[in-house]
Amino acid sequence: MRTPLTRAEAEDKEGRLITPHRKVPRVSDPDVYTVIGDYVYHHYMQDKFNDNGWGCAYRSLQTLCSWYLYNGYTTKSPPSIQEIQKTLVRLGDKPEKFVGSRQWIGSVEVGYVLDSYLDTTHRIQFVASGEDMNMQGGMLSHHFKTQGTPVMIGGGVKAHTIIGVRYDDVT
């Protein structure tokens, strides 16, 4: 494992939003659990690439991969959208024509790429609906306390990256 990049190195090198939740005044609340370490916030239209409306899971995956880079678990930069697509084709998950397309990917594909690209193991937690997310607070707070990585969530054609939760096991 290599030495993690410092915050100054990360900002100088990438010129992107680095761990943006730290720039928000923190509420003094023992029930708030967030990502441990730095990451690059990847978003639509970044790198002069138009992925508006279909790139959310790709960008979430890039954010996850950046956490592994900035915290010393890999020397690999987050993959481009094309590299993600090529990985899925190489793994046999998608046909050759998938490369260069504007087809969205979901949580399963994000997991495949994480496992292959970073030689890590992902976990998928099934949640029946958005209404059921409030039941996941204990699991998410435990994840942030013990693992510290951002979390990708997806459903239908939407994907989001969770960087923290407020959880009180009493209420």
Side-chain angles (χ1 to χ4, degrees), residues 62-158:
Q62 289 173 324
T63 298
L64 294 173
C65 289
S66 76
W67 183 92
Y68 284 88
L69 173 65
Y70 287 96
N71 292 284
Y73 292 96
T74 187
T75 58
K76 293 182 176 181
S77 294
S80 68
I81 288 175
Q82 187 173 44
E83 289 172 319
I84 293 167
Q85 292 176 333
K86 285 180 179 180
T87 298
L88 291 168
V89 169
R90 182 178 51 77
L91 293 172
D93 183 64
K94 301 289 183 203
E96 197 66 44
K97 65 182 180 180
F98 180 68
V99 177
S101 73
R102 294 177 171 259
Q103 292 181 3
W104 62 274
I105 61 172
S107 303
V108 171
E109 292 89 351
V110 166
Y112 291 161
V113 175
L114 275 175
D115 290 355
S116 173
Y117 190 73
L118 297 177
D119 193 28
T120 188
T121 303
H122 74 281
R123 174 181 174 207
I124 291 184
Q125 175 70 36
F126 179 76
V127 179
S129 71
E131 292 174 359
D132 294 338
M133 273 305 293
N134 64 346
M135 302 304 289
Q136 303 303 312
M139 184 267 303
L140 287 167
S141 65
H142 178 75
H143 170 81
F144 287 120
K145 286 188 287 189
T146 60
Q147 304 299 310
T149 68
V151 174
M152 182 268 187
I153 63 168
V157 294
K158 300 285 186 202

Side-chain angles (χ1 to χ4, degrees), residues 1 5 8 15 19 29 38 46-47 70 84 117 132 151 158:
M1 183 166 30
L5 295 174
T19 321
D29 189 336
D38 289 322
Q46 197 168 5
D47 304 321
Y70 287 96
I84 293 167
Y117 190 73
D132 294 338
V151 174
K158 300 285 186 202

Side-chain angles (χ1 to χ4, degrees), residues 38-49:
D38 289 322
Y39 60 93
V40 175
Y41 170 62
H42 288 265
H43 55 83
Y44 286 134
M45 308 297 284
Q46 197 168 5
D47 304 321
K48 299 177 184 166
F49 187 82

Side-chain angles (χ1 to χ4, degrees), residues 5-25:
L5 295 174
T6 66
R7 172 174 226 104
E9 289 171 327
E11 288 179 349
D12 290 344
K13 185 176 180 179
E14 297 294 335
R16 296 185 177 135
L17 294 173
I18 307 296
T19 321
H21 74 276
R22 289 199 186 143
K23 292 174 175 63
V24 176

